[in-house]
């Protein structure tokens, strides 16, 4: 018994989510308090002093997410971007970061338009090519920052291969695991030093809260991030922490259904006459399908497809009913979006062209509705092309 490690679904429901000691409440309470009474000078009860520093609801979520990612600790923030920003504040002027060239749009905006002003340097490479990462690493490189799969092109990076390069050359490897969730991809087991998520997406899963997390593998990282939480203050609120604690309890069943529906939609699109290409790592035609099978335990529900033109994309997106036209992803509802004019508009036409994003691409985050209803909706919408 003592050696038995509980499975993923059990840990998502129980780790950090033990009944509350005072009343036995099975749901972790929302500790809506800014401060904590002290019994005497220098004697806070249970170590709690002020809620920017620590809060019991937040602590519980941090324990839960550390367990699910196989890390030693986690720190949660007000948004995914706040979590990513916290990682970069661990750096100093003159430090260099090697990152993917097709990252979530907010990340290069933060790097180029804010952090570059503080003397941090960034080099963007195609991280699906380990040699490109190796070549870009210099004497002052502190981090390699990777998103896999990428948005919206669904290109994969071999985490284990990049980790071997980082071990040899020195920088720490950070992986954004938002698209797969810890249910389908375990970057720390593959050698990542830190994992980051926008909890806004699959971890929360219900499109009702914003948040981010950094999962650590070493005590120094966790201590430094606690200091950043306390000093910079972009922490996750108790209520948002509770929303993620609630959402994460069903992560395993949601991801199974996302994956089933994702495969069904990808196969349907691949067969459709009006669809010119489908980007989904679960399809055998995907150029990195073998890596996907090796590195992930499912393929998830993020799919991009080519309609051929901006006009075609517009025509079909005007018709969708079950699929909601909107940014974001990872919720129970199917969300459909147009990268060129929505999530990737800021890249500009040249920037999009450089990495292969076209005006005809449509991205879908397949929800957990009945698959037949999603397929019927796409069918009638595609008929408008
Ligand atoms: C949404 C997202 C982010 C940013 O998270 P926010 O919670 O919106 O701040 C970062 N990375 C990826 C892959 C995302 O999808």
């Amino acid at each position: 018994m003592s050696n038995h490690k509980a499975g993923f679904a059990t840990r998502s429901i129980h780790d950090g989510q033990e009944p509350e000691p005072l009343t036995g409440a099975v749901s972790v309470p929302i500790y809506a308090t800014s401060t904590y009474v002290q019994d005497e000078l220098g004697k806070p009860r249970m170590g709690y002093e002020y809620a920017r520093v620590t809060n019991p609801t937040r602590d519980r979520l941090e324990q839960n997410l550390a367990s699910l990612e196989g890390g030693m600790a986690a720190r949660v923030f007000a948004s995914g971007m706040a979590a990513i920003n916290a990682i970069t504040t661990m750096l100093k002027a003159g430090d260099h970061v090697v990152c993917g060239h097709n990252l979530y749009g907010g990340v290069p905006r933060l790097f180029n338009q804010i952090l570059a002003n503080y003397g941090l340097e960034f080099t963007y490479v195609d991280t699906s090519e380990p040699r490109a990462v190796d070549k870009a690493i210099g004497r002052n490189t502190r981090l390699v920052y990777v998103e896999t799969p990428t948005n919206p092109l669904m290109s994969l990076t071999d985490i284990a291969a990049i980790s071997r390069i980082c071990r040899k050359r020195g920088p720490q490897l950070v992986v954004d695991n938002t698209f797969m969730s810890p249910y389908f991809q375990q970057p720390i087991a593959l050698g990542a030093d830190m994992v980051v998520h926008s909890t806004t997406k699959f971890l929360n899963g219900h499109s009702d809260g914003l948040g981010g997390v950094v999962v650590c593998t070493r005590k120094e990282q966790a201590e430094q991030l606690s200091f950043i939480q306390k000093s910079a203050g972009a922490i996750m609120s108790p209520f948002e922490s509770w929303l993620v604690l609630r959402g994460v309890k069903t992560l395993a069943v949601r991801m199974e259904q996302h994956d089933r529906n994702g495969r069904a939609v990808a196969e349907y699109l691949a067969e459709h006459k009006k669809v010119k290409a489908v980007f989904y790592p679960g399809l055998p035609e995907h150029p990195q399908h073998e890596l996907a099978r090796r590195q992930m335990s499912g393929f998830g529900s993020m799919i991009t497809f080519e309609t051929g033109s901006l006009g075609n994309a517009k025509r079909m997106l005007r018709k969708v009913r079950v699929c909601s036209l909107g940014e974001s992803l990872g919720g129970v509802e199917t969300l459909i979006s147009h990268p060129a004019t929505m999530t990737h508009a800021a890249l500009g036409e040249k920037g999009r062209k450089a990495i292969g994003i076209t005006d005809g691409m449509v991205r879908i985050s397949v929800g957990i509705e009945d698959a037949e209803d999603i397929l019927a909706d796409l069918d009638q919408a595609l008929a408008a092309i």
Side-chain angles (χ1 to χ4, degrees), residues 79-81 84 104 147 176 178-179 198 200-201 210-211 329:
S79 66
M81 288 314 305
I84 294 162
Y104 175 78
E147 225 175 274
D176 183 331
T178 301
F179 268 35
S198 166
T200 312
K201 317 295 167 53
L210 223 65
L329 57 111

Side-chain angles (χ1 to χ4, degrees), residues 72-73 75 77 86-92 95 143 172 194 214 216 218-232:
M72 63 80 57
R75 297 292 177 260
F77 294 87
I87 291 176
T88 56
T89 43
M90 296 164 91
L91 303 173
K92 292 192 174 64
D95 285 350
L143 289 183
Q172 295 194 52
M194 279 184 274
V214 183
C216 312
R218 286 191 292 280
K219 195 158 157 260
E220 311 85 75
Q221 297 165 341
E223 285 171 357
Q224 209 176 346
L225 286 166
S226 291
F227 188 74
I228 291 166
Q229 284 184 317
K230 173 162 90 174
S231 308

Side-chain angles (χ1 to χ4, degrees), residues 371-383:
E372 308 82 77
D373 295 332
I374 302 168
L375 295 176
D377 191 42
L378 288 171
D379 206 52
Q380 63 83 25
L382 282 165

Side-chain angles (χ1 to χ4, degrees), residues 141-156:
T141 309
R142 300 283 171 263
L143 289 183
V144 172
Y145 185 93
V146 161
E147 225 175 274
T148 180
T150 61
N151 171 24
L153 297 165
M154 301 306 290
S155 158
L156 268 52

Side-chain angles (χ1 to χ4, degrees), residues 81 85 88 106-120 122:
M81 288 314 305
N85 186 58
T88 56
V107 177
R109 181 172 56 212
L110 170 70
F111 289 179
N112 300 340
Q113 298 186 48
I114 298 181
L115 297 173
N117 297 332
Y118 292 82
L120 294 178
F122 301 92

